[in-house]
Amino acid sequence: MNLGNCPRCGKLYALNFRDVCSNCIKEMEQEYQICVDYLRENKGTNIQELSDATDVSIKTITKFIREGRISIENAPNMMYPCEVCGTLIREGHMCDSCRHRLTKDLASAARDVGQKDNGNIGGRTYNALDKLRDS
């Protein structure tokens, strides 16, 4: 049996598919139900209002949205923070600006690596394997 500390409450528990202890799973389900009930009554709410009214953290509400448990399809004001800069978004993990910057940085890093290895990314590894094969 694998044991771990619950990241939410810190208690020791038998590891399961949810990565939190059974008590925290129950609490999260109660928080989810509170959020859903509030959203049914207040369709125009935003994430801050939902958090304030239900005492459920924005992080937890965001998790519910990303898991698809809370749908923002019919909630025009419901957005959650970008994981990088905190700008409110309606889909994915990053806003367009952060996604563009990351793509640009990755392309730049790939070019830099390509120039160092004369266009052969990871060339040293494959050269070493070729030398072993030729021996």
Side-chain angles (χ1 to χ4, degrees):
M1 178 189 316
N2 294 331
L3 299 176
N5 287 77
C6 177
R8 193 172 150 115
C9 70
K11 291 180 182 175
L12 190 64
Y13 77 107
L15 293 175
N16 58 42
F17 68 97
R18 292 289 297 267
D19 295 328
V20 292
C21 70
S22 59
N23 288 338
C24 287
I25 289 172
K26 289 175 189 170
E27 285 178 24
M28 288 171 67
E29 290 305 313
Q30 289 172 345
E31 290 173 342
Y32 167 72
Q33 195 57 52
I34 290 168
C35 288
V36 168
D37 291 344
Y38 185 84
L39 286 171
R40 278 191 191 118
E41 300 293 322
N42 305 279
K43 293 193 185 290
T45 193
N46 64 40
I47 197 164
Q48 186 64 54
E49 293 168 348
L50 178 60
S51 177
D52 292 343
T54 60
D55 290 327
V56 177
S57 72
I58 289 176
K59 183 179 177 180
T60 301
I61 295 168
T62 301
K63 185 176 180 179
F64 292 150
I65 293 170
R66 287 206 178 111
E67 290 174 346
R69 299 180 73 194
I70 291 180
S71 173
I72 60 174
E73 189 82 20
N74 296 322
N77 298 329
M78 186 63 69
M79 295 185 275
Y80 54 92
C82 166
E83 288 183 1
V84 179
C85 69
T87 300
L88 294 176
I89 57 177
R90 288 188 56 86
E91 63 184 357
H93 293 273
M94 284 187 267
C95 64
D96 290 338
S97 174
C98 290
R99 189 176 308 114
H100 177 70
R101 188 173 57 245
L102 178 63
T103 303
K104 190 171 126 185
D105 290 347
L106 286 172
S108 174
R111 270 193 311 277
D112 291 348
V113 169
Q115 288 173 355
K116 282 184 184 176
D117 291 332
N118 294 328
N120 189 2
I121 297 175
R124 289 186 218 135
T125 303
Y126 295 113
N127 288 341
L129 290 173
D130 290 339
K131 286 178 185 177
L132 285 173
R133 195 173 338 130
D134 293 338
S135 299

